[in-house]
Amino acid sequence: MVETKRGKLILIEGLDRTGKTTQCELISKRNNYKYYKFPNRETPIGKIINSYLSQQNYDGKTLSDQSIHLLFSSNRWELQEEIKQNLLDGKNIILDRYVYSGVAYSLAKGIEGMDYEWCFGCDRGLVKPDLTIFLINTGNADNDGFGDEIYEKKEIQAKVRQVFETIFTEKEKKEYIKDHFKQLDVTGLGIEEVYEKVESFVKEETNKDSNRFMYF
Ligand code: T5A
């Protein structure tokens, strides 16, 4: 019997407002990829996350930093079986944020005891993307107008940027960075210009032949 070739898992990561959702939606539509955005705000856990992020119907005291971190991770675990089954069925998937966002935003808070190992621990065992594309935009570093959500502030974004850098230069395995990671500077590029580059990375990965899963 011929083994079904499993689908590819491709992740787009980056700071707020770097165009992740725009690119994921284009990849999904034009290349028939299934699209998962994290946090998924529709699940029961996602609804709590949404009220925390938007600060609506939320008194600001209910959730500790540890609790919200674990809820973000649970939100990924909630959808893990479905994601894996789709991959096994041969469907390609594009992810909009995933484990690296979970670690970066929580570490950037600098909470005692919430070190890298602690933040990363609850995501160990999740299936790891075949390719991670990290978008950076140096043009919006001084921008105060990220949005109204809890992390959309210039100082927080600067810290998150530093933590992402540390993760990709020091913490993540060198072999993963060499073969499964692309950093893309989108500063000053239009949506279609970014898309051309993202799509070329995606196609290169899609053409690689590998049925082996990697895990965090
Ligand atoms: N978080 C998330 C955690 O703390 N822990 C976790 O585990 C996870 C998963 C919500 C927050 O949660 C935190 C991180 C976040 O602070 P979110 O819902 O993904 O995460 O929120 P954002 O990242 O802020 O999503 P955004 O939609 O705001 O940003 P995107 O997706 O990067 O940007 P996008 O595509 O929506 O584009 C923003 C605007 O720019 C335009 C678009 O049309 C849009 O108007 N645009 C461009 N304009 C010019 N040139 C281009 N190249 C453009 N590309 C897009």
Side-chain angles (χ1 to χ4, degrees):
M1 207 172 71
V2 185
E3 194 186 356
T4 309
K5 192 178 164 204
R6 78 156 169 88
K8 291 284 180 178
L9 185 63
I10 296 184
L11 163 66
I12 300 191
E13 271 288 6
L15 292 173
D16 294 51
R17 302 266 149 185
T18 44
K20 301 174 299 298
T21 300
T22 303
Q23 294 302 322
C24 285
E25 286 178 349
L26 287 175
I27 289 292
S28 172
K29 271 191 211 129
R30 297 180 184 175
N31 297 273
N32 195 26
Y33 267 59
K34 278 189 86 68
Y35 171 41
Y36 287 88
K37 178 171 168 73
F38 289 107
N40 177 323
R41 302 183 191 221
E42 302 305 315
T43 67
I45 288 172
K47 286 185 179 141
I48 305 174
I49 294 174
N50 184 50
S51 69
Y52 174 84
L53 287 171
S54 63
Q55 305 278 281
Q56 280 167 8
N57 306 318
Y58 175 73
D59 64 10
K61 296 181 188 135
T62 321
L63 289 173
S64 65
D65 294 303
Q66 290 83 352
S67 301
I68 187 67
H69 178 83
L70 294 170
L71 288 176
F72 273 115
S73 176
S74 289
N75 190 231
R76 289 183 278 279
W77 282 109
E78 279 184 296
L79 291 159
Q80 185 66 177
E81 274 313 302
E82 184 183 314
I83 287 175
K84 208 159 170 203
Q85 192 54 54
N86 275 313
L87 294 171
L88 287 168
D89 291 344
K91 293 181 186 132
N92 293 317
I93 293 178
I94 187 95
L95 297 175
D96 188 344
R97 294 193 186 276
Y98 197 47
V99 172
Y100 299 117
S101 278
V103 176
Y105 282 78
S106 289
L107 261 184
K109 292 177 171 176
I111 306 293
E112 199 178 350
M114 287 179 76
D115 59 10
Y116 179 78
E117 290 308 321
W118 191 96
C119 290
F120 191 37
C122 46
D123 283 319
R124 277 195 200 285
L126 286 169
V127 66
K128 195 166 184 171
D130 298 293
L131 176 67
T132 294
I133 302 169
F134 180 58
L135 303 186
I136 55 164
N137 186 343
T138 52
N140 66 9
D142 293 330
N143 184 2
D144 263 327
F146 282 105
D148 297 327
E149 290 203 324
I150 191 165
Y151 298 140
E152 294 180 325
K153 315 223 164 26
K154 200 166 81 175
E155 307 71 43
I156 297 181
Q157 295 291 316
K159 281 191 195 144
V160 174
R161 178 190 296 264
Q162 278 173 4
V163 179
F164 266 130
E165 259 178 48
T166 306
I167 292 173
F168 294 132
T169 55
E170 294 171 23
K171 299 289 188 185
E172 184 50 273
K173 292 188 187 80
K174 298 283 172 267
E175 313 86 74
Y176 186 81
I177 297 299
K178 181 172 149 289
D179 295 333
H180 304 277
F181 177 81
K182 305 271 186 200
Q183 180 164 303
L184 181 57
D185 186 347
V186 301
T187 313
L189 298 181
I191 290 173
E192 289 299 331
E193 290 172 296
V194 177
Y195 178 74
E196 208 176 292
K197 290 172 195 287
V198 168
E199 190 193 40
S200 75
F201 294 150
V202 168
K203 289 210 158 141
E204 189 189 328
E205 183 58 42
T206 313
N207 290 334
K208 286 187 197 163
D209 213 12
S210 165
N211 251 17
R212 189 179 62 91
F213 277 118
M214 293 183 285
Y215 294 92
F216 279 101

